[in-house]
Amino acid sequence: MYELNHAIEIAEDIIGDRFGISTSQWKRYRYDIRSLKDLKEHEIVDSAYAQILKYARHPDLRTTGSEKGEYFKICLQDHVILRTIDNHPELKLLSFMVYVVTHELLHVVRFARFVQSFYASENERIKEEALVHRLTHELLRHLKLPGMHETLNFFSEKVQVETFKGGGIQR
Ligand SMILES: [Zn+2]
């Protein structure tokens, strides 16, 4: 998608610096970031910029019974993102994408390190969302990117970034 690879590069760099994750170590975090064209019907929502799903195994990966193949699929909702950019002329797509991807990767890192459970209660999830917004803000606040300041302002209004598909692992 539009600007996606660039946004992932920036986000992995910034989070890697902060949490001491090298490029090769990123491979141990099992996640995929996909845009709308690569989503199945149940992965598409209209109310969030992204949706995180936890799958039992990666579709491209052949795992044996004992091997853990669990991974997170970050499903970007292009239609919601583009609609927001259209409605807010002060926003720039790349900085907006950097915010969304950084925010999502922070969730993934926290899930993977068991700092936060994927199957949190609604209440815990609200707290986690506020915390991840704060972390994202802190990480991006000094990034010199056109429209970043406006993006940070936009998300400081307690906008929810994503939904989680809970209630068991999707297969
Ligand atoms: Zn979030």
Side-chain angles (χ1 to χ4, degrees):
M1 174 172 69
Y2 52 91
E3 316 278 23
L4 178 57
N5 288 338
H6 194 185
I8 294 175
E9 220 172 89
I10 294 173
E12 284 186 347
D13 253 19
I14 289 173
I15 296 174
D17 272 358
R18 169 66 183 267
F19 292 91
I21 304 166
S22 66
T23 313
S24 62
Q25 283 169 334
W26 270 115
K27 293 193 180 73
R28 279 196 249 142
Y29 289 88
R30 294 168 174 277
Y31 71 88
D32 248 356
I33 303 182
R34 295 287 164 172
S35 50
L36 193 63
K37 66 175 176 23
D38 300 319
L39 302 185
K40 302 197 181 81
E41 211 180 315
H42 71 276
E43 296 173 331
I44 299 171
V45 289
D46 202 32
S47 53
Y49 301 107
Q51 174 167 235
I52 302 184
L53 286 96
K54 191 177 183 182
Y55 282 99
R57 64 183 52 195
H58 197 287
D60 306 333
L61 201 72
R62 287 187 179 278
T63 50
T64 57
S66 59
E67 200 179 331
K68 273 183 88 180
E70 285 182 5
Y71 87 110
F72 296 103
K73 184 170 178 181
I74 299 169
C75 306
L76 292 174
Q77 310 296 316
D78 306 27
H79 53 301
V80 183
I81 293 171
L82 293 174
R83 194 167 64 210
T84 302
I85 296 291
D86 269 356
N87 290 339
H88 295 82
E90 76 279 15
L91 296 174
K92 299 264 183 294
L93 186 58
L94 179 60
S95 346
F96 195 86
M97 294 296 294
V98 167
Y99 190 99
V100 171
V101 173
T102 303
H103 179 110
E104 296 306 319
L105 288 184
L106 281 170
H107 278 302
V108 167
V109 167
R110 289 170 58 79
F111 292 145
R113 293 185 169 190
F114 303 108
V115 179
Q116 174 65 35
S117 164
F118 183 79
Y119 304 104
S121 68
E122 186 60 31
N123 209 6
E124 284 175 306
R125 195 158 280 167
I126 291 167
K127 277 195 219 153
E128 172 72 2
E129 187 63 6
L131 175 64
V132 169
H133 269 305
R134 273 207 304 283
L135 282 170
T136 311
H137 198 281
E138 207 182 286
L139 287 177
L140 299 182
R141 150 176 87 161
H142 298 302
L143 187 69
K144 295 211 173 0
L145 207 59
M148 184 48 82
H149 180 72
E150 290 75 6
T151 294
L152 292 174
N153 276 347
F154 178 83
F155 281 109
S156 69
E157 310 292 324
K158 287 202 186 292
V159 180
Q160 193 191 335
V161 174
E162 76 289 289
T163 53
F164 298 87
K165 206 84 160 201
I169 295 175
Q170 309 285 313
R171 282 167 204 280

